[in-house]
Amino acid sequence: MPQKPAKRPPPCPPPRAGEGREGAPSGRKTRGAARDDNTVITALELPGAELTPAMQAYFDKCTEKLGFIPNVLKAYAFDMPKLEAFVAMYNDLMLAPSGLSKLEREMIAVAVSSRNRCYYCLVAHGAAVRSLADDPVLGELMVMNYRAARLDRRQRAMLDFAVKLTAKPWEIEEVDRNALREAGFTDRDIWDIAAVASFFNMSNRIASASAMRPNSAYHGQKRE
Amino acid sequence: MPQKPAKRPPPCPPPRAGEGREGAPSGRKTRGAARDDNTVITALELPGAELTPAMQAYFDKCTEKLGFIPNVLKAYAFDMPKLEAFVAMYNDLMLAPSGLSKLEREMIAVAVSSRNRCYYCLVAHGAAVRSLADDPVLGELMVMNYRAARLDRRQRAMLDFAVKLTAKPWEIEEVDRNALREAGFTDRDIWDIAAVASFFNMSNRIASASAMRPNSAYHGQKRE
Amino acid sequence: MPQKPAKRPPPCPPPRAGEGREGAPSGRKTRGAARDDNTVITALELPGAELTPAMQAYFDKCTEKLGFIPNVLKAYAFDMPKLEAFVAMYNDLMLAPSGLSKLEREMIAVAVSSRNRCYYCLVAHGAAVRSLADDPVLGELMVMNYRAARLDRRQRAMLDFAVKLTAKPWEIEEVDRNALREAGFTDRDIWDIAAVASFFNMSNRIASASAMRPNSAYHGQKRE
Amino acid sequence: MPQKPAKRPPPCPPPRAGEGREGAPSGRKTRGAARDDNTVITALELPGAELTPAMQAYFDKCTEKLGFIPNVLKAYAFDMPKLEAFVAMYNDLMLAPSGLSKLEREMIAVAVSSRNRCYYCLVAHGAAVRSLADDPVLGELMVMNYRAARLDRRQRAMLDFAVKLTAKPWEIEEVDRNALREAGFTDRDIWDIAAVASFFNMSNRIASASAMRPNSAYHGQKRE
Amino acid sequence: MPQKPAKRPPPCPPPRAGEGREGAPSGRKTRGAARDDNTVITALELPGAELTPAMQAYFDKCTEKLGFIPNVLKAYAFDMPKLEAFVAMYNDLMLAPSGLSKLEREMIAVAVSSRNRCYYCLVAHGAAVRSLADDPVLGELMVMNYRAARLDRRQRAMLDFAVKLTAKPWEIEEVDRNALREAGFTDRDIWDIAAVASFFNMSNRIASASAMRPNSAYHGQKRE
Amino acid sequence: MPQKPAKRPPPCPPPRAGEGREGAPSGRKTRGAARDDNTVITALELPGAELTPAMQAYFDKCTEKLGFIPNVLKAYAFDMPKLEAFVAMYNDLMLAPSGLSKLEREMIAVAVSSRNRCYYCLVAHGAAVRSLADDPVLGELMVMNYRAARLDRRQRAMLDFAVKLTAKPWEIEEVDRNALREAGFTDRDIWDIAAVASFFNMSNRIASASAMRPNSAYHGQKRE
């Protein structure tokens, strides 16, 4: 029974400073071809299952803290074991203690998603970078081309590794790990960089395969 | 507490017909530059954590059924929440009920790992294909070039989708999903194809980032 | 003397509805590694030349209409003939009468710049798409992955051609032109699609070669 | 009125030593599938506009100096502002004073066009390299693989930058600019290298998008 | 008459230690979609020609030493000059004296075939690596990702050159040859590395173009 | 003794109409960085071996018919078995009876060499196409971008197959062979197309690996 719950911070997507109050955009007029349709989350017809009590509590917490349920969770909600496994892994990777800050993990998420051109993840995690960094520009740089950002050596090495691992995993070798060590990362940090980059290589593909649409609320977050 | 265990088949890597008895290769002489070193699982120094009771039971079951603990599990065993999350997701994807047979899921695993040239996954899951198919050649075809296999339309469409999703996830569109529907897959099957392919895009990268070495026992499995 | 001015709308970057008033962001606090530094426009030290009267008038008009001088113009302002040639070509392509709407031309600009991952052009022309479409989401879709947008056949064919021309110009053939004709475009429209896509293949590279930084004002434009 | 003409050398395509006399190939027999058809310049039906006096003078000068009108000019001649903008930019980039010799600018043109496999530009500018260098082999090397030429460090650095900017503009960074500086180029030279390479990334695509055919006269120029 | 036979070791595919005795797999049951069909060697219908006495003797020797005729020879046997030219070149490259061991030549063959994903060559020459190295794992490493093998500097340099020559021959320059010289190779060795890598770039394509199927006997060779 | 010579047309590189008389370029002045140095054929120091009588006769015939010895032959002349094997295979492929004309085989050679950007082969075989076609333009089209040539369906299908086999041999499948059959090719023709394309994938790499320089005489051949 490996799925025995570990004791850890309440599972929840990254809280974003000062955004819980605004809630889902209610009165926004949708527009033509590109509108986000919050009632159709993916291109796959998968009837929702009944939420387990744990997942119901989790969804309630999301609504309370974010003002909405991230669409990725709704997309997984057709099958509770899949939803629970996704949530457990996501929360461990992105929120549990690590030598990487939460912002750094989100930066990896967006740089990887940019390489994979994943619309869902770029919208949702681009907003996370803007919020966690309190910098509307850094999120854009991660979305568009992380090489154009003026990063310090540590963060640049981190993203170079993550993006090479995304683009050409077969060419990662000891020299790449050593570049991280020389930038100050421990072996445990290297695992975490790799694990976050790898997780988003999974999530990007789930989202692209199912044409997952992000919640509209992300677009306007932390733009000033 | 989303990690609440779901009721389902005992978590365990794919059992392989008739191979539980042989155990790990004991007397095999290792050789020069290419030998598998079972004492060094990855290039990262990550001291093992104490196994939780659930994970201890799981490892015991692996030893009993396979004759060894798959190295990927030992690699994750430095941190119990990470190990548990990986095991939960793996077992759900590869062993839970699905419109895809276990062999088909392993075929996807190997075709994706071939695109990503992941040594660990090709060895471990190539053996799984050989065993589940009772066909030493099918595993080689998945490792080398799935297009060379004489597959039926269903399996060919399944692998074409999985490999395109691996190589160019940003180009997956409705036409690709429709090709699967026309080959007889339901929307739930499409999710499962995507989820398995996506999971191995994650695992391939964890394995490549850490230079994970497969157990030697896989190499000789089901070769005749 | 081929540079004789043609009679046409006053040369100016795309006016954006309702944004002339706000002016350049004055009191915005800049932040850490990713801040836009408006005093260093590119990585090349090229002392500004004296503006010709025509260019001075053009810059004045930009300030009046946009509240700022687009950095690309400042970057070219080390040499008047280069600045004038750039402005003449830009204004003809993006503002002169055409079978393509101004929004469509900006959509091409952004889809091409996304393929080339050009930070400057994605920021500046992403804002233009958001403003011209009065749709904060369409700009993001063009930046991230135009294939994820729910476009009509005409616009999809237009962007498919522009992006193929960007990625593999050597594979453009009559069949590609015919796809545009079948989507309702005239031969003149095809020239315009090609010309805008080609122009941004030039501009993207000038911007990337010189590490051109966009004006900060673009980031917040038309986000709600 | 930014299009005010600058004072500069008379606008004209690169003059080629000793070739003005021969004129267009008059009696050449055309052959089967591959013949250049000088009456069909592109695959797009775009009726020619009336030349402005400036453009008429320019065409006359081309005929006088080259013996023919380059087909790219005829292709643009359906619209005078487009033709004038193209001519102004072309002449500034390729003929105005610069730290790069005219030959070097043509070498960039051909190396970039080789990466983009642009038939029109390879024929026209390959002839220019042969003529300006008085070396029938150097043009072939630029067309086929500039890395096979035995170039000095300066020219090799110049072409490496131009071709990387063509192939992967998103990966150009300070280290690339510094490689040019170390090879003796000023920041102004770097702009010019970038501008010529970028211009041909535009022209290559216009030519490929329209299936532009080069004048037959280029083929035999400076072959001995 | 250049085809005059040179004096050299009897032409024959690589002998593999201790495998001559087993003969072709006679009673093996074939299975479903992926079975090797030894009666249909390629997808092309090319009626066999009468073997010349030299080729008959060669085939007899193969049967005697290997227990079967490699399918590539049967595929070429529709035309004696083609068969003879192939055999002469193959035997010279793979069996004649060289600074490269026979194992090293087979390692190149497999690393190149892996890059080209050639099913026939990976099966046949993967078996050769396993046999010549007396190491069932080394063959798998060459098939899957040679970078994952723990090779000494010499062999790593050799394979890096061979694989770069396969993937991007246009980028091979003096620096690449010097890397081989620094790893201890002579200019003659460099020729041999290049010649073997180049030969398999030919053979991979002949095999892929004709859908050549390997003999089943290879699969089980030297797996323990 | 498989190398027993077959009866066939005297082995010799493709004769080119009307060019035997001119001989090697004797008085040509060499120029700067790009000159062809006929005394240094490759970047590898490989002392020439004594020619066998057969090879001596072959070289004599080349001198008589072409006016020079093609440098590729001199490059191989350090080892007689390698030279003889190369000559035997080359002459069989390019000169023996086939459903493909000699021109078609040279067109394949150049289109493949263009994809691989092989300077030696583009120069030598580009000249062959110009001569055999009596068309100075067709050779340029094959060198620069065969898709720009106005070919009939048969030749286009032939080159599409050859270039796909060069670029992505792992994706060649029955549908590709059927496209050739539908264009009128027999299975034997398909073998020949594949064999010529494959041979130049070998030769391109030998030439690139050794920095082989073509004879200067090729450049001026059949330019009018």
Side-chain angles (χ1 to χ4, degrees):
Chain A
M1 287 177 298
Q3 299 93 340
K4 194 70 182 314
K7 290 286 176 292
R8 57 177 47 214
C12 187
R16 294 180 188 98
E19 275 151 23
R21 283 171 306 277
E22 66 186 310
S26 56
R28 180 176 166 276
K29 66 178 192 294
T30 52
R31 295 175 194 80
R35 79 166 176 282
D36 278 306
D37 187 344
N38 279 314
T39 66
V40 179
I41 306 297
T42 75
L44 301 178
E45 287 197 32
L46 296 170
E50 192 182 358
L51 292 176
T52 56
M55 288 296 98
Q56 184 62 58
Y58 185 55
F59 276 41
D60 290 347
K61 182 164 292 189
C62 289
T63 303
E64 179 195 326
K65 288 186 110 175
L66 306 176
F68 58 91
I69 314 291
N71 281 351
V72 66
L73 299 180
K74 293 192 218 161
Y76 269 96
F78 71 91
D79 182 87
M80 286 304 107
K82 293 185 196 309
L83 175 61
E84 290 179 340
F86 176 82
V87 166
M89 188 176 279
Y90 179 89
N91 286 344
D92 173 69
L93 280 172
M94 300 305 280
L95 300 176
S98 163
L100 310 178
S101 72
K102 289 178 187 175
L103 171 60
E104 286 173 333
R105 286 177 267 182
E106 291 287 350
M107 289 168 70
I108 294 172
V110 181
V112 165
S113 301
S114 174
R115 178 60 178 66
N116 289 332
R117 301 187 187 280
C118 175
Y119 177 58
Y120 182 92
C121 298
L122 286 169
V123 169
H125 294 276
V129 169
R130 296 196 302 273
S131 296
L132 287 169
D134 189 25
D135 181 350
V137 175
L138 186 64
E140 294 291 84
L141 281 159
M142 294 301 105
V143 165
M144 292 166 176
N145 188 350
Y146 78 94
R147 296 175 197 87
R150 291 162 187 157
L151 301 172
D152 62 23
R153 183 187 172 207
R154 169 188 164 89
Q155 293 187 339
R156 178 60 192 258
M158 176 185 84
L159 295 180
D160 281 345
F161 186 93
V163 169
K164 180 175 179 183
L165 183 62
T166 298
K168 299 195 172 184
W170 53 86
E171 290 191 3
I172 292 283
E173 296 197 63
E174 192 65 9
V175 66
D176 301 293
R177 286 180 288 271
N178 282 339
L180 289 177
R181 289 176 185 125
E182 284 155 21
F185 290 104
T186 67
D187 275 23
R188 168 60 200 270
D189 295 337
I190 297 175
W191 179 279
D192 286 359
I193 294 169
V196 172
S198 298
F199 179 84
F200 280 90
N201 270 286
M202 177 177 72
S203 292
N204 291 168
R205 287 174 173 85
I206 286 278
S208 294
S210 64
M212 199 179 287
R213 312 297 291 183
N215 306 67
S216 301
Y218 291 119
H219 290 290
Q221 287 181 347
K222 192 64 209 168
R223 289 295 185 182
E224 302 285 348
Chain B
M1 286 177 297
Q3 299 94 339
K4 195 68 184 313
K7 290 287 175 292
R8 57 177 48 210
C12 186
R16 294 177 188 98
E19 275 150 23
R21 283 172 306 277
E22 64 185 314
S26 56
R28 181 176 165 274
K29 67 177 191 297
T30 53
R31 296 176 195 80
R35 78 167 177 280
D36 278 307
D37 186 346
N38 279 313
T39 66
V40 180
I41 305 298
T42 74
L44 300 178
E45 286 197 33
L46 297 170
E50 194 181 357
L51 293 176
T52 56
M55 288 296 99
Q56 183 62 59
Y58 185 53
F59 275 42
D60 290 347
K61 182 164 290 188
C62 288
T63 304
E64 179 195 327
K65 288 187 110 173
L66 306 175
F68 59 90
I69 315 290
N71 281 351
V72 66
L73 299 180
K74 292 192 219 162
Y76 269 97
F78 71 91
D79 183 86
M80 286 304 105
K82 294 185 195 310
L83 176 60
E84 289 179 341
F86 176 82
V87 166
M89 188 177 281
Y90 179 89
N91 286 344
D92 173 70
L93 280 172
M94 300 304 281
L95 301 177
S98 164
L100 309 178
S101 72
K102 289 177 188 175
L103 171 59
E104 286 172 333
R105 286 177 267 180
E106 291 287 349
M107 289 168 70
I108 294 171
V110 181
V112 165
S113 302
S114 175
R115 179 60 178 66
N116 289 330
R117 300 189 186 279
C118 176
Y119 177 58
Y120 182 92
C121 298
L122 287 168
V123 168
H125 295 276
V129 170
R130 296 195 303 273
S131 296
L132 287 168
D134 190 26
D135 181 351
V137 174
L138 186 64
E140 293 293 84
L141 281 158
M142 293 300 105
V143 165
M144 291 166 177
N145 188 350
Y146 79 93
R147 296 175 197 85
R150 291 163 187 157
L151 301 172
D152 61 23
R153 184 188 172 206
R154 168 188 165 89
Q155 293 188 337
R156 178 59 193 259
M158 176 185 84
L159 295 180
D160 281 346
F161 186 93
V163 169
K164 181 176 179 183
L165 184 62
T166 298
K168 300 194 171 184
W170 53 86
E171 291 191 3
I172 292 284
E173 296 198 61
E174 193 65 9
V175 66
D176 301 293
R177 286 180 288 271
N178 282 338
L180 290 177
R181 289 176 184 124
E182 282 155 23
F185 291 103
T186 66
D187 275 22
R188 168 60 200 270
D189 295 337
I190 296 175
W191 178 278
D192 286 358
I193 293 169
V196 172
S198 298
F199 179 84
F200 280 92
N201 270 285
M202 177 177 71
S203 292
N204 291 169
R205 286 175 174 86
I206 286 278
S208 294
S210 65
M212 201 178 286
R213 311 298 292 183
N215 307 66
S216 301
Y218 291 119
H219 290 290
Q221 287 180 348
K222 192 64 210 168
R223 290 296 187 181
E224 301 285 348
Chain C
M1 286 178 297
Q3 300 93 339
K4 193 69 182 313
K7 290 288 175 293
R8 56 179 48 212
C12 186
R16 295 177 187 98
E19 275 151 20
R21 284 172 307 278
E22 63 185 315
S26 57
R28 180 176 166 277
K29 67 178 192 296
T30 54
R31 294 177 196 80
R35 78 167 176 280
D36 278 308
D37 186 347
N38 278 314
T39 66
V40 180
I41 306 299
T42 74
L44 300 178
E45 286 196 32
L46 296 170
E50 193 180 359
L51 292 176
T52 57
M55 287 296 101
Q56 183 62 59
Y58 185 54
F59 275 41
D60 291 346
K61 181 164 293 188
C62 288
T63 304
E64 179 195 327
K65 289 186 108 174
L66 305 176
F68 59 90
I69 314 291
N71 282 351
V72 66
L73 300 180
K74 292 191 218 161
Y76 269 96
F78 70 92
D79 183 88
M80 287 304 106
K82 294 185 195 310
L83 176 62
E84 289 179 341
F86 176 83
V87 166
M89 188 176 282
Y90 179 90
N91 286 344
D92 173 70
L93 280 172
M94 301 303 283
L95 302 176
S98 164
L100 309 179
S101 72
K102 288 177 188 175
L103 171 59
E104 286 173 332
R105 286 178 265 181
E106 292 287 349
M107 289 168 70
I108 294 172
V110 181
V112 165
S113 301
S114 175
R115 179 60 178 66
N116 288 332
R117 300 187 186 281
C118 175
Y119 177 59
Y120 182 92
C121 299
L122 287 169
V123 168
H125 295 276
V129 170
R130 295 195 303 272
S131 296
L132 288 167
D134 189 25
D135 181 351
V137 174
L138 186 64
E140 293 292 85
L141 281 158
M142 294 300 105
V143 165
M144 292 167 177
N145 189 350
Y146 79 94
R147 295 176 197 86
R150 290 163 187 157
L151 302 171
D152 62 22
R153 184 187 172 206
R154 168 188 165 89
Q155 293 188 338
R156 179 58 192 257
M158 175 185 85
L159 295 181
D160 281 346
F161 186 92
V163 170
K164 180 175 179 182
L165 184 62
T166 298
K168 299 195 173 183
W170 52 87
E171 290 191 3
I172 293 283
E173 295 197 62
E174 193 66 8
V175 66
D176 301 293
R177 285 179 289 271
N178 283 339
L180 289 177
R181 290 177 184 123
E182 283 156 23
F185 291 104
T186 66
D187 275 22
R188 167 61 199 270
D189 295 337
I190 296 175
W191 178 278
D192 286 359
I193 293 169
V196 172
S198 298
F199 179 84
F200 280 91
N201 271 286
M202 178 177 71
S203 292
N204 291 169
R205 285 174 175 85
I206 287 279
S208 294
S210 65
M212 199 178 287
R213 311 298 292 184
N215 306 68
S216 301
Y218 291 119
H219 290 289
Q221 287 179 348
K222 193 62 211 169
R223 290 295 186 181
E224 302 285 349
Chain D
M1 287 175 299
Q3 300 93 340
K4 194 70 184 313
K7 290 286 175 292
R8 57 178 47 213
C12 188
R16 296 180 186 95
E19 271 150 298
R21 282 172 308 278
E22 66 186 311
S26 56
R28 179 174 166 276
K29 69 179 190 297
T30 53
R31 295 175 195 81
R35 81 166 174 281
D36 279 307
D37 185 345
N38 279 313
T39 66
V40 179
I41 306 297
T42 73
L44 301 178
E45 287 197 33
L46 296 169
E50 192 181 359
L51 292 176
T52 57
M55 288 296 100
Q56 183 62 60
Y58 185 54
F59 276 41
D60 291 347
K61 181 163 292 188
C62 288
T63 304
E64 179 194 327
K65 288 187 109 174
L66 306 176
F68 58 91
I69 314 290
N71 281 351
V72 65
L73 299 180
K74 291 192 219 160
Y76 269 96
F78 70 93
D79 182 87
M80 286 303 106
K82 293 185 194 310
L83 176 61
E84 290 178 341
F86 176 83
V87 167
M89 188 176 280
Y90 178 90
N91 285 345
D92 172 70
L93 279 172
M94 301 304 281
L95 301 176
S98 163
L100 309 179
S101 72
K102 289 177 187 174
L103 172 59
E104 287 173 332
R105 286 177 267 181
E106 292 288 350
M107 289 168 71
I108 294 171
V110 182
V112 165
S113 301
S114 174
R115 178 61 177 66
N116 288 332
R117 301 187 186 280
C118 175
Y119 177 59
Y120 182 91
C121 297
L122 286 169
V123 168
H125 294 277
V129 170
R130 296 195 304 271
S131 297
L132 287 168
D134 189 26
D135 182 350
V137 175
L138 186 64
E140 293 292 84
L141 281 159
M142 293 301 105
V143 164
M144 291 166 177
N145 188 351
Y146 79 94
R147 296 175 197 87
R150 290 162 187 157
L151 301 172
D152 62 22
R153 183 186 172 207
R154 169 187 163 89
Q155 293 187 337
R156 177 60 193 258
M158 176 185 84
L159 296 180
D160 281 346
F161 186 93
V163 170
K164 180 175 179 182
L165 184 62
T166 298
K168 299 194 171 184
W170 53 86
E171 290 191 3
I172 293 283
E173 297 198 61
E174 192 66 9
V175 67
D176 301 293
R177 286 180 288 270
N178 283 338
L180 289 177
R181 291 177 183 123
E182 283 155 22
F185 291 104
T186 66
D187 275 22
R188 168 60 200 271
D189 295 337
I190 296 175
W191 179 278
D192 286 359
I193 294 168
V196 172
S198 299
F199 178 84
F200 281 91
N201 270 285
M202 177 177 72
S203 292
N204 291 168
R205 286 174 174 86
I206 286 279
S208 294
S210 64
M212 200 179 285
R213 311 298 291 183
N215 306 67
S216 301
Y218 291 119
H219 289 290
Q221 287 180 347
K222 193 63 209 168
R223 289 295 187 183
E224 301 286 346
Chain E
M1 287 176 297
Q3 300 95 337
K4 194 70 183 313
K7 289 287 176 291
R8 56 178 47 214
C12 186
R16 295 180 187 96
E19 275 151 21
R21 283 172 307 278
E22 65 186 313
S26 55
R28 180 174 166 278
K29 67 180 191 295
T30 53
R31 295 177 195 80
R35 79 167 176 279
D36 279 307
D37 186 345
N38 279 314
T39 65
V40 179
I41 306 297
T42 74
L44 301 178
E45 286 197 32
L46 297 170
E50 192 180 359
L51 292 176
T52 58
M55 288 296 100
Q56 184 63 59
Y58 185 53
F59 275 41
D60 291 346
K61 182 163 292 189
C62 288
T63 305
E64 179 195 326
K65 289 187 110 175
L66 305 177
F68 59 90
I69 314 290
N71 281 352
V72 66
L73 299 180
K74 293 192 218 161
Y76 269 97
F78 70 92
D79 183 85
M80 286 304 106
K82 294 185 195 310
L83 176 61
E84 290 179 341
F86 176 83
V87 166
M89 187 176 281
Y90 179 89
N91 286 344
D92 173 70
L93 279 172
M94 300 304 280
L95 301 176
S98 163
L100 309 179
S101 72
K102 289 177 187 175
L103 171 58
E104 287 173 332
R105 286 178 266 181
E106 292 287 349
M107 289 168 71
I108 294 171
V110 182
V112 165
S113 302
S114 175
R115 179 60 178 66
N116 289 332
R117 300 187 186 279
C118 175
Y119 177 59
Y120 182 92
C121 298
L122 286 170
V123 169
H125 294 277
V129 170
R130 294 195 304 272
S131 296
L132 287 168
D134 189 24
D135 181 351
V137 175
L138 186 64
E140 294 291 83
L141 281 159
M142 293 301 105
V143 165
M144 292 167 178
N145 188 349
Y146 78 95
R147 295 176 198 85
R150 291 162 186 157
L151 302 172
D152 62 22
R153 184 187 171 206
R154 169 188 164 89
Q155 293 187 339
R156 178 59 192 258
M158 177 185 84
L159 296 180
D160 281 345
F161 186 93
V163 170
K164 181 175 179 182
L165 184 63
T166 299
K168 300 194 171 183
W170 53 86
E171 291 191 3
I172 292 283
E173 296 197 62
E174 192 66 8
V175 66
D176 301 293
R177 286 180 288 271
N178 282 338
L180 289 177
R181 290 176 185 124
E182 283 156 22
F185 290 104
T186 67
D187 275 23
R188 168 61 199 270
D189 295 337
I190 296 174
W191 179 278
D192 286 359
I193 293 169
V196 173
S198 298
F199 178 84
F200 280 91
N201 270 286
M202 177 177 71
S203 292
N204 291 169
R205 285 174 174 85
I206 286 279
S208 294
S210 64
M212 200 179 286
R213 310 298 291 183
N215 307 67
S216 301
Y218 291 119
H219 290 290
Q221 286 180 349
K222 193 62 209 168
R223 290 293 186 181
E224 302 284 347
Chain F
M1 286 177 299
Q3 299 92 339
K4 194 70 184 313
K7 289 289 175 291
R8 57 178 48 211
C12 188
R16 296 179 186 97
E19 275 151 21
R21 285 171 306 277
E22 64 186 313
S26 56
R28 180 176 166 276
K29 68 178 190 296
T30 54
R31 295 176 196 80
R35 79 168 177 279
D36 278 307
D37 186 346
N38 279 314
T39 66
V40 180
I41 305 299
T42 74
L44 300 178
E45 286 196 32
L46 296 170
E50 193 181 358
L51 292 175
T52 57
M55 288 296 100
Q56 184 62 60
Y58 185 54
F59 276 41
D60 290 347
K61 182 164 292 190
C62 288
T63 304
E64 179 195 326
K65 289 186 108 172
L66 306 175
F68 58 90
I69 314 290
N71 282 351
V72 66
L73 299 180
K74 292 192 219 161
Y76 270 97
F78 71 92
D79 183 85
M80 287 304 105
K82 293 185 196 311
L83 176 61
E84 289 179 341
F86 176 82
V87 166
M89 188 176 280
Y90 178 89
N91 286 345
D92 172 70
L93 280 172
M94 300 304 281
L95 301 177
S98 163
L100 310 178
S101 73
K102 289 177 188 175
L103 172 59
E104 286 172 333
R105 286 177 268 180
E106 292 287 349
M107 289 169 71
I108 294 171
V110 182
V112 165
S113 301
S114 175
R115 178 60 177 67
N116 289 332
R117 300 187 186 281
C118 176
Y119 177 59
Y120 182 92
C121 298
L122 286 169
V123 169
H125 295 277
V129 169
R130 295 195 303 272
S131 296
L132 288 169
D134 189 25
D135 181 351
V137 174
L138 186 63
E140 293 292 83
L141 281 159
M142 294 299 107
V143 164
M144 291 167 177
N145 188 350
Y146 78 94
R147 294 175 198 87
R150 291 163 186 156
L151 302 172
D152 62 22
R153 184 187 172 207
R154 167 187 165 90
Q155 293 187 339
R156 178 60 193 256
M158 175 185 85
L159 295 180
D160 281 346
F161 187 93
V163 170
K164 180 175 180 182
L165 184 62
T166 298
K168 300 195 172 184
W170 53 86
E171 290 191 3
I172 293 283
E173 296 197 62
E174 193 65 10
V175 66
D176 301 293
R177 286 180 288 271
N178 282 339
L180 290 178
R181 290 178 184 121
E182 283 156 23
F185 291 103
T186 67
D187 275 22
R188 168 61 199 271
D189 295 336
I190 296 175
W191 179 277
D192 286 359
I193 293 168
V196 172
S198 299
F199 178 84
F200 280 91
N201 271 285
M202 178 176 71
S203 293
N204 290 170
R205 286 174 174 84
I206 286 278
S208 294
S210 65
M212 199 178 287
R213 312 297 292 183
N215 306 67
S216 301
Y218 291 119
H219 289 290
Q221 286 180 349
K222 194 62 210 168
R223 289 295 185 181
E224 302 285 347

